[in-house]
Amino acid sequence: MRICVYPGSFDPITNGHLDIINRTVRICDKLIIAVLSNVNKDCTFSIDERVKQIRHVLKDRPEIEIDSFSGLLTEYMKKKGANIIIRGLRAVSDFEYELQMALLNKNMNPDIETLFMMTNIKYSFLSSSAIKEIARHGGDVSDLVPDYISKQLSKKFKNSVGV
Ligand code: ADP
């Protein structure tokens, strides 16, 4: 069984993440989206909000599990019986960090492989932080995130336009 875990902050989920998810389900037996609950990272949406958002966006995809985790990814993977980590690569700038994480995880558990999915050229410029920056200033992100997320962003930033 190829049980893949796609870990990330997903703050919030974008069309770039969804593209990786849709391509990954074709090559694995089971996909778990694991939302990182990280006390050290300042997230705009709480862990509960992010999990709820992804569940809403993927409500017609019951084959995809959506979960949250904290602590070591390798420990989480062991608990889930998973053996493949999925990560996305956009630009060269992603590479150094992703290489370090992949090697650290390999060092902690040699049975786990990290599989990199190259970004879709359409979404290569997309990141959650860029989306939030546009939304915070009242810009239109409707073709970069699902409708539901676009509404969630407007709600979150409704009092900060122009700030
Ligand atoms: P993290 O804080 O773990 O980097 P993110 O939610 O920002 O969490 O990203 C999760 C994963 O998705 C990362 O591997 C990132 O490179 C990838 N990713 C994010 N946006 C895109 C995109 N537009 N195209 C391809 N991969 C992406």
Side-chain angles (χ1 to χ4, degrees), residues 6-10 16-17 20 41 87-90 94 98 119 123 126:
Y6 182 24
S9 308
F10 304 103
H17 292 126
I20 299 286
K41 200 165 169 178
R87 295 288 288 177
L89 279 180
R90 281 159 295 189
D94 281 340
E98 294 294 345
T119 186
Y123 305 124
L126 253 193

